[in-house]
Amino acid sequence: MEAATSIKPIIRVAALSGSLRKTSFHTGLLRAAIDLTKESVPGMEIEYIDISPLPLINTDLEINGTYPPVVEAFRLKILDADSILFASPEYNFSVSAPLKNALDWASRAPNVWADKPAAILSTGGSSGGGRAQYHLRQIGVFLDLHFINKPEFTLNAFQPPQKFDAEGNLVDEAAKEKLKQVLVSLQAFTLRLQR
């Protein structure tokens, strides 16, 4: 009798960067995460979702229970994802305006964030974006998001050795390993919640 083999299902992850800069370190973290899933985290596929086309939230744009096409397309991407990966910069001790806008659009009825597992990546100055992460976790309580608790990923982008290149790509190997552990944890948590 052959031994049964367990095959992990593919976890589909929607990845959002709260920074719109062309050479954003946060978007660079998501690119690194996508590369890591191809190299060393089998069973996980990450899709980068560009939030820059979303209009500022305005309920006047909701007509007969429908949303503008760009908002509908964004909401469907979130709904279809098994889990969410946020790259959240810290602006004034909180999340950025573009990320909050995306959070608000996808929370409109029906709330497509509900019951999604999630993880947060942040980089920046001395706190590495940690205060924004805690604020995002508070928002997630109302949105019914379920964040992994460990490992946390905060990264001081300006402390040697160099963490990012001129294009915003993550080049620090220790940070890549830490990022990989976040992805493995998100994958395991997602599978656990799906069961």
Side-chain angles (χ1 to χ4, degrees):
M1 187 169 172
E2 286 184 37
T5 58
S6 75
I7 300 172
K8 286 184 182 176
I10 298 293
I11 301 298
R12 293 164 301 149
V13 182
L16 284 69
S17 173
S19 175
L20 305 183
R21 287 190 320 110
K22 184 178 177 183
T23 57
S24 161
F25 292 166
H26 286 85
T27 307
L29 288 174
L30 296 180
R31 284 193 302 272
I34 290 168
D35 290 344
L36 281 168
T37 59
K38 293 174 183 171
E39 298 165 8
S40 54
V41 188
M44 178 179 267
E45 290 178 357
I46 300 176
E47 180 183 1
Y48 171 72
I49 311 296
D50 184 7
I51 63 173
S52 65
L54 294 173
L56 287 176
I57 190 158
N58 177 352
T59 54
D60 288 345
L61 299 175
E62 299 176 28
I63 301 166
N64 298 323
T66 65
Y67 301 95
V70 67
V71 174
E72 289 280 12
F74 169 69
R75 288 171 54 82
L76 278 174
K77 292 277 189 185
I78 301 304
L79 183 63
D80 289 343
D82 297 307
S83 55
I84 312 296
L85 182 62
F86 293 101
S88 177
E90 183 175 306
Y91 289 11
N92 300 318
F93 283 24
S94 186
V95 298
S96 67
L99 182 55
K100 183 62 166 64
N101 189 55
L103 289 163
D104 291 343
W105 269 124
S107 73
R108 300 294 296 162
N111 171 21
V112 295
W113 300 115
D115 283 330
K116 303 279 185 191
I120 313 169
L121 313 172
S122 293
T123 186
S126 59
S127 74
R131 288 172 294 223
Q133 285 200 16
Y134 293 129
H135 197 182
L136 180 52
R137 286 173 180 274
Q138 288 178 313
I139 295 166
V141 169
F142 183 78
L143 299 181
D144 236 358
L145 282 162
H146 306 296
F147 287 102
I148 63 168
N149 291 321
K150 291 187 176 57
E152 290 182 302
F153 186 100
T154 57
L155 179 66
N156 184 330
F158 308 108
Q159 184 179 27
Q162 182 179 352
K163 307 297 190 298
F164 297 89
D165 66 17
E167 284 78 47
N169 297 306
L170 184 65
V171 294
D172 183 75
E173 291 303 320
K176 287 182 183 181
E177 181 57 32
K178 189 176 171 185
L179 175 54
K180 177 185 167 185
Q181 296 311 313
V182 170
L183 298 175
V184 168
S185 180
L186 178 61
Q187 182 182 44
F189 187 49
T190 303
L191 289 170
R192 195 171 97 206
L193 291 185
Q194 286 179 344
R195 283 197 296 269

